[in-house]
Amino acid sequence: MQFTLQAKSPFNLVTVTNSHGWVQLAPFSLHEDGVGFDYVMALDDGKVIEMSVTAVPDGAHITTPTELNTAAQAELKAKTAWILGTEQDFTEFYAAAAQEPKLAHVQAKTQGRLLRSATVFEDIVKTILTTNTTWTGTIRMTDGLVQAYGQPLPDDPARFAFPTPERLAKADMDVLQGTVKLGYRAPYVLELAQRVASGELDVEGWKTAPSAISGQAVIPTAELRKQLLALKGVGPYAAAHLLIFLGHYDAIPVDSWALKLVSTEWYDGQPVSKKDVEAAFEKWGQWQALAYWFWDWQYLQNN
DNA sequence: GGTAGACCTGGACGC
DNA sequence: GCGTCCAGGTCTACC
């Protein structure tokens, strides 16, 4: 099966793929040319497929060697559109950014979209695995989780889809801590999987909200943030990070990196607080997370 | 609401 | 090679 997804213009697959580090995390794998990527996906009917995503003007071309029925085809198209954010519209952000020299590049570079996983569940787990560790630690933990509990690809059993909540809900705590080495995060991930698998928690409902698809927030950010913070292992940083994925850009994920960037940009390298970071981007209102993310940082130019 | 200490791992560093 | 220290967010207990 193959199909082309046309995105709301402007769109550039390279920009989305390299928008942040997600493409380095299983079950993504970056193509050698650095433009497109492969992704192993578990469909609702239990089938595990691999898809290859390549660039076309203002869109992406998707191919999978697996034959799919009508329902599976629709699911694949919807999940791919979500991963790439093809329906997102950044016209207002570009208009605001054009007035700021440090953001004047965003429209020309078609920046705004961030690569997402196929499910909100997967993005929550991965975000928890970014906390209190190094990026190499995040890659290692994600790889371990996918290999230990992911469903194998029939044509290549060495590759796996990201574990479904149902599979992860049955995980052994000793394996999560000892083999996968999630450490103290293991109970957080296990509890999340069990709550989602049992139906108690509908995190995919956050994804299908019109606001998240269009990029225009309708559910108040404060309400969604409250629900995210109620998840074990999700604190202020992780909640803000996940809000971005869900189309809410009015909160900044302040981590040690953000403190370093703002310190260099406006405080001559002196220590800054979370409030300083938030104050620096407050004027960007509903776009402040994107303004922060795509800012032309002095620190990056100097290092 | 704010703060301190614990959590866990890998990497850097000194010996 | 070994031991120690530190960085990285969140949780819990406490004030």
Side-chain angles (χ1 to χ4, degrees):
Chain A
M1 178 198 177
Q2 57 178 301
F3 61 95
T4 296
L5 273 180
Q6 286 300 321
K8 287 193 175 175
S9 184
F11 175 92
N12 184 303
L13 181 63
V14 184
T15 305
V16 180
T17 302
N18 298 293
S19 53
H20 61 142
W22 244 222
V23 76
Q24 298 173 34
L25 301 178
F28 283 103
S29 55
L30 185 64
H31 289 172
E32 284 187 6
D33 61 8
V35 176
F37 59 85
D38 292 344
Y39 182 77
V40 182
M41 183 188 294
L43 298 174
D44 289 345
D45 62 4
K47 195 172 282 184
V48 178
I49 65 164
E50 179 183 39
M51 65 172 187
S52 177
V53 181
T54 54
V56 298
D58 269 337
H61 189 68
I62 292 87
T63 59
T64 174
T66 310
E67 289 301 317
L68 302 174
N69 61 30
T70 305
Q73 288 181 24
E75 182 188 349
L76 176 59
K77 287 179 181 176
K79 284 185 169 173
T80 309
W82 171 261
I83 289 170
L84 299 174
T86 51
E87 296 302 309
Q88 291 185 293
D89 184 350
F90 297 97
T91 306
E92 285 184 37
F93 172 54
Y94 291 154
Q99 311 302 315
E100 167 56 58
K102 288 279 193 171
L103 286 171
H105 57 277
V106 293
Q107 182 165 10
K109 292 184 177 179
T110 67
Q111 290 174 318
R113 296 177 177 86
L114 296 177
L115 188 69
R116 302 184 277 208
S117 303
T119 66
V120 176
F121 171 73
E122 182 175 331
D123 276 336
I124 295 174
V125 172
K126 286 177 173 175
T127 299
I128 290 174
L129 301 188
T130 67
T131 61
N132 203 25
T133 187
T134 58
W135 179 243
T136 55
T138 301
I139 293 174
R140 176 186 50 76
M141 287 186 274
T142 305
D143 275 347
L145 203 55
V146 166
Q147 288 181 32
Y149 293 104
Q151 295 158 273
L153 187 65
D155 294 339
D156 185 359
R159 302 184 64 196
F160 304 85
F162 193 84
T164 60
E166 290 74 20
R167 290 176 70 92
L168 208 45
K170 297 173 186 167
D172 187 313
M173 184 68 82
D174 290 338
V175 173
L176 289 178
Q177 290 182 319
T179 307
V180 184
K181 294 191 174 180
L182 299 190
Y184 69 90
R185 303 170 194 81
Y188 302 156
V189 171
L190 189 56
E191 181 184 312
L192 173 68
Q194 290 171 341
R195 291 181 66 194
V196 173
S198 71
E200 176 198 337
L201 193 62
D202 178 22
V203 295
E204 303 310 316
W206 299 338
K207 170 182 178 179
T208 55
S211 61
I213 292 175
S214 66
Q216 303 299 308
V218 173
I219 303 174
T221 301
E223 172 58 31
L224 200 46
R225 183 173 185 271
K226 187 178 170 185
Q227 295 186 51
L228 287 164
L229 288 173
L231 304 176
K232 284 283 182 64
V234 176
Y237 160 78
H241 191 257
L242 288 163
L243 281 171
I244 293 174
F245 283 151
L246 294 167
H248 295 246
Y249 305 116
D250 44 348
I252 297 175
V254 182
D255 56 6
S256 56
W257 181 244
L259 297 173
K260 187 179 294 183
L261 292 173
V262 170
S263 168
T264 305
E265 192 79 13
W266 291 292
Y267 292 85
D268 198 26
Q270 297 302 306
V272 299
S273 68
K274 182 176 181 233
K275 287 183 179 176
D276 293 325
V277 176
E278 291 168 343
F281 288 94
E282 194 176 7
K283 70 172 184 177
W284 290 94
Q286 64 170 323
W287 303 113
Q288 55 188 291
L290 292 180
Y292 157 73
W293 205 286
F294 296 110
W295 195 261
D296 183 14
W297 294 102
Q298 193 183 129
Y299 178 83
L300 299 178
Q301 294 170 352
N302 298 340
N303 291 276

